[in-house]
Amino acid sequence: MRRGWRRTLLVALLAVSRAVAGAAAAPFTVEEVAPGIWVHRGAVADFAPDNRGDIANLAFVVGTRGVLVVDAGGSAAVGRDWVAAVRGVTDRPIRWLVLTHVHPDHVFGAGTVVAAGARVIVGHARLARAFAERGPVYAASMERLLGPEVFAGSEVPAPTRTVAPGERLRLDLGDRTVEIRGWPVAHTDTDLTVLDQATGTLLAGDLVFLDRLPVVDGSLLGWLRVLDELARLPATRVVPGHGPAVAPWPAALAAERRYLRDLHDAVRGLVREGVSLAEAPARIPPPSGWRLVDPDHGRNVTAAYAELEWEE
Amino acid sequence: MGRPGRKWPAVLSLLLLWAAAGSSVAGESSRWDEIRAMLFDDRPLADGTAVLELEAPQRALDAALVPVRIRARAGAPPIRTLWLVIDENPAPVAAVFRLDPELARADIETRVRVNSYTPVHAVAEAVDGRLFVVARFVKAAGGCSAPGTRDRGEALARVGRMKIRPLEPVVAGRPVRVKIKIAHPNYTGLQIDQLTRQWIPPDYVTRVRLRLAGRTAVEVESDISISEDPTFLVTLVPPGEVELGVEVEDSSDRRFARSVRLVPEA
């Protein structure tokens, strides 16, 4: 009797946990974070078959002339869900796709978004070159990490409109204008941001991380400089590349800035002291308050070390 | 070894050997046996555990930037040559360090690319000709084909910049670690530029000569396994206040030099 009850509970728990697991993976949700601005929140996780590369935040902006899509997800499979999510909100045409930088979790769904109508692909002036250099390596590792079925058909068309560092490109969406800005080397050497002027919403790509530890793949010094400028943008909220769908601006910048500054100061100290590159990662304790710290923190220390050696 | 000029044909044949073997190497030991025969013929290699320490991470954080240090243990005989071999790399002999035992000690560090999980071997040749070997296994992959951190134009514009820095106070007649960092993309020839649909041609530092008051203290023969911006930490023994000259040659026949004064602390 008791045994039977237990088994029933176990079955029920299994059913619930399956339902929960299904709920986490299956529906591809979007939320409206400001009038006409919708965000899909990627998992704060590393690439894995169960997330299909859906680990970055994606956004779209609805204007009377059409829809501007910002980033495309890490695989064609995510790209298809992303297009369907746009279609679930509006039947205005998808006209523009902005790729905020070269990283695979943001770009490999691009072919799908373009196939859905995006004629204008906006990317940083260095994006094509960066992707030419890194694309084959990225594609091989994504296929391995996500599985060939999920990754099949993932493509990244070249930008049709490029934005140079310091350049501002205004796009007229009809009832609203967005300003796309190119940045010097920071998180990567291909960073763009999108500012929706009507709502004061900054779509920051990976220049802003929340929750997930920032990854330095461009220049630590450059990123710190860019943050100073970024903080002055006239926005009241930000959609970060990773973390929550939306956060207050510029307060959302504080944690990232603190991490990058601490990293800079600690690594500079070790370089000055003559502590070797091999010893450096263990000498700088992992920061608290971030997720996915290992091994990205150690990698950041290594990258920062090689960069800051030139400064001493 | 001591046969300059033999190195490049040797590397070429190793490359061919690698191509023939493909990625399915029968076993670590067979690869090492071939490299060892090519470098040392049938000279005996003694277990160097008591003589040499080889420091390398078990699992690298960045396969294109793996720190490796080789140093003689206390009580080791004076050493005149060190080889750093990354068995499974396309060009396995990452670097050869020739030391003047009066002016340099066997304690060197550099950063290498690791292409796939591999044994790393360090071999030391004592001044009396004996050879000692130690090995470690490093888990890392993709280091040789990883793109550079800068685009090509920028990387080539920086070629020849250098940082030369003693890491500790200079004392006459005492060993001092000195770091030499050379701006150079060190292209492997295994990196692709798909805008032009072509391999980026190999372009890498081949030789670094460190002179103390005109005498060669350390000569490094280096290769594509050395990371972008080749960095060497060497241990010099400056006899007193002395000029340290660094002369660099690369595979494109560029030559550049810089020098600093090593001034002992009062």
Side-chain angles (χ1 to χ4, degrees), chain A residues 126 128-129 132-134 136-137 271-272 274 276-278 281 295 298-299 302 305-306 309-312, chain B residues 61 65 67 109 111 145 147 150-151 154 158 161-163 165 167 179 181-183 192-195 229 231:
Chain A
R126 283 181 160 148
R129 171 160 288 277
E133 289 178 0
R134 297 167 172 223
V137 180
V271 172
R272 279 189 181 159
S276 74
L277 172 65
R299 285 195 189 124
T302 303
Y305 189 104
E309 272 181 318
W310 287 112
E311 305 300 312
E312 297 303 321
Chain B
L61 287 162
L65 195 71
E109 187 177 327
R111 295 149 196 185
S145 54
R150 297 180 186 85
D151 77 38
E154 191 195 344
R158 296 169 71 254
R161 272 181 69 191
M162 260 190 252
K163 279 275 175 190
R165 196 166 80 94
L167 297 179
K179 171 154 68 180
K181 185 165 168 123
I182 303 158
I192 289 181
D193 181 342
Q194 289 211 344
L195 274 193
D229 289 351
T231 302

Side-chain angles (χ1 to χ4, degrees), chain B residues 32 47-49 54 87 119-122 133-137:
Chain B
W32 169 241
D47 173 13
T49 318
L54 170 60
D87 295 17
V120 173
H121 284 88
V133 62
V134 291
R136 294 203 52 167
F137 196 80

